[in-house]
Every structure is written in C-alpha cells, then in structure tokens.
Amino acid sequence: MGEVLILIGCPQIPVQSPLVLYIADFLQDAGHRPVVAANPSAKQLIKTSDPKSHYVSEYKDVDKTIGELADGTVQYPLIISLIHNDAGLTYTSTTSAVAPKTLLISVLFGEHAYDLAEEIEYPTEKVVAPVTHNTRPLLTKLDEVLEWAVLKI
Amino acid sequence: MGCLENMNYEILGRNCSFKEAREIIRSNSTEKYEVPPGFKLLEKALIGVPPLIIGIANEKLIYAYTKPCHGTFVVVVEDPEGVDHVRRNGKPVQ
C-alpha cells in the first residue's frame, strides 16, 4: 500500500478541509495510504472532522516534510497540493523542485484560483475553480485527474 | 544554528508575493546568491519559487521566509554561519 501526500496550506478557505477528506477517501479506496502535510491549524481542522482517522492515516508538519523531501529521506509517488494563495503556490513550487520525480497535482481554489494557476511554472496537472464554499465545480475534474493519477503510480 | 525566532533579525517586507520578495532582496543586498529550493538555513529547508535568491549586506543574510497563513516575509538575519554557508554553497548572481 503506497503512501500519497496531500499538502495543504492555510485553512482560511472553507472548501479545503472537505477536499482533504474527499481526496483521502478516494486514495483509501484506491489502496493508498493518505498522509497529510499541514501547519498546526489546518491539521487541527482535519483532525476534528476525522477524529478516528477513518480518512487520513497520518499527519506531518509541512515544513519538516519539505525538508525531508529535500534531504531525500522520504519520497512519495504522488503529491496532491491544495493551493489558494501565493504562499501555497510557493510551498508547492518548492515541493516540485525538491521532488522532481513525483507526480504532482495542483488543486487551486479561492477567489484568485485562475490568477494563481497562470503563475505556475512547475510541471503539474491542474484542477482549478474559483470557489470558496462550494466544492462541486472542482469535483468532476478532480475525480478525473485522481483516477488517472492512481493508475500512473 | 537555531530557530529564526532566537536570532537577531528584522523584517524588510511582509505579506509579499514571492516575486515581490525576490525584488526586495535584490535591491537591499550587496552580494546575491542563487540557491536551490530546500537549501538549509538555520537547519530548515528554504521555501521558495526558483530562482531562490539570498542576499548579503553588512554581513547579514537577507532572504524570503514563507509561512502558509502569513505569506512571505523578507528578513534580515544576523547569522555568521549562514553567511559563510551561502558564500560557500550559493551561486553568485548579479
């Protein structure tokens, strides 16, 4: 059972936490172990929604995880990054640079989603919708990309 | 070596985009070095969009420090070991 990393940023946009559980559920069904890299507040929101860890198998500190990827002490065949601000883009760009062999999916949401997507210069598959409260516009493309990604790893 | 919070530092810019931070670093530094993302300073991997520029002025490091909820800051840090590390391992740029 392979591990897949879900990288998340600041939890201020409401769709982020449900997207994490949705992606984790998909990964579990596909036989993968979802690991979430987050800052403490984002992690706490997910843990509150999934107190018995039915969806997320493990949590890691986001900065420490990028350090481990840079050192080569951890590797993931697939990383799914949730982005809604410049900091999220910066973290994901760093992840791409330190883990160039990893298949990287960038899920962009929030009111600046299209602008952020245009700034991406690293290799990635993008799922983009400028939503804050409604996950639905993201889900069809997300399903399609996740199904493709788990077949590739 | 240690945490940034334990160092003598000042903030040159806050809530910047990474591109803005890069320009602040360039315009406030007398020496500039390009380093790869994940380059270690204070035992922590640097977060950033390539090209990642670290500046030096008055023997202090000037670099971008990104936090998920607070965006990117440009910090000036008194870190003699870091200055030496950057000069030895960074690629000098204009």
Side-chain angles (χ1 to χ4, degrees), chain B residues 11-16 21 63-67 70-75:
Chain B
I11 295 172
L12 267 189
R14 62 179 77 231
N15 293 323
C16 319
Y63 58 95
Y65 186 78
T66 303
K67 297 302 290 176
H70 303 287
T72 297
F73 296 80
V74 179
V75 292

Side-chain angles (χ1 to χ4, degrees), chain A residues 37-49:
Chain A
N39 72 352
S41 60
K43 171 184 163 182
Q44 183 58 30
L45 282 175
I46 309 291
K47 283 191 97 164
T48 304
S49 308

Side-chain angles (χ1 to χ4, degrees), chain B residues 1-89:
Chain B
M1 297 291 262
C3 170
L4 179 62
E5 289 297 327
N6 300 329
M7 309 295 283
N8 195 3
Y9 73 95
E10 57 183 294
I11 295 172
L12 267 189
R14 62 179 77 231
N15 293 323
C16 319
S17 70
F18 201 81
K19 280 182 186 169
E20 290 164 344
R22 198 184 285 137
E23 290 314 307
I24 295 171
I25 294 165
R26 284 185 193 280
S27 59
N28 285 278
S29 304
T30 48
E31 295 169 56
K32 283 149 259 180
Y33 296 86
E34 189 176 320
V35 299
F39 185 84
K40 294 277 173 72
L41 278 179
L42 299 172
E43 296 168 6
K44 215 173 154 197
L46 273 191
I47 304 297
V49 179
L52 219 64
I53 303 295
I54 299 179
I56 298 175
N58 303 317
E59 293 303 300
K60 294 177 185 174
L61 288 181
I62 304 176
Y63 58 95
Y65 186 78
T66 303
K67 297 302 290 176
C69 293
H70 303 287
T72 297
F73 296 80
V74 179
V75 292
V76 183
V77 186
E78 260 188 68
D79 176 9
E81 280 181 43
V83 168
D84 187 45
H85 178 51
V86 169
R87 281 186 177 136
R88 276 190 286 109
N89 298 294

Side-chain angles (χ1 to χ4, degrees), chain A:
Chain A
M1 198 177 189
E3 290 190 336
V4 172
L5 187 70
I6 306 170
L7 187 74
I8 63 174
C10 179
Q12 77 182 119
I13 307 289
V15 295
Q16 178 168 278
S17 296
L19 283 173
V20 170
L21 298 182
Y22 185 86
I23 293 166
D25 180 60
F26 181 96
L27 293 171
Q28 296 258 18
D29 281 354
H32 296 281
R33 188 168 178 272
V35 177
V36 168
N39 72 352
S41 60
K43 171 184 163 182
Q44 183 58 30
L45 282 175
I46 309 291
K47 283 191 97 164
T48 304
S49 308
D50 181 23
K52 293 193 169 65
S53 288
H54 289 303
Y55 298 93
V56 176
S57 303
E58 184 185 346
Y59 296 89
K60 300 183 76 166
D61 174 77
V62 65
D63 289 301
K64 193 173 169 209
T65 303
I66 289 180
E68 289 172 348
L69 286 167
D71 292 341
T73 53
V74 294
Q75 288 180 336
Y76 299 95
L78 170 64
I79 298 177
I80 301 153
S81 185
L82 274 54
I83 303 166
H84 66 83
N85 60 12
D86 190 80
L89 197 62
T90 303
Y91 271 82
T92 311
S93 179
T94 308
T95 302
S96 172
V98 298
K101 291 181 182 164
T102 295
L103 181 60
L104 181 57
I105 298 173
S106 299
V107 182
L108 297 113
F109 51 91
E111 62 177 310
H112 305 297
Y114 289 129
D115 293 336
L116 289 168
E118 275 183 23
E119 285 189 37
I120 289 179
E121 290 177 355
Y122 54 83
T124 189
E125 189 66 31
K126 300 177 201 172
V127 179
V128 191
V131 297
T132 54
H133 296 87
N134 180 8
T135 55
R136 191 168 292 278
L138 281 166
L139 297 185
T140 306
K141 179 75 189 290
L142 184 60
D143 284 345
E144 193 180 296
V145 171
L146 288 173
E147 280 165 19
W148 161 81
V150 294
L151 290 175
K152 287 204 54 156
I153 61 173

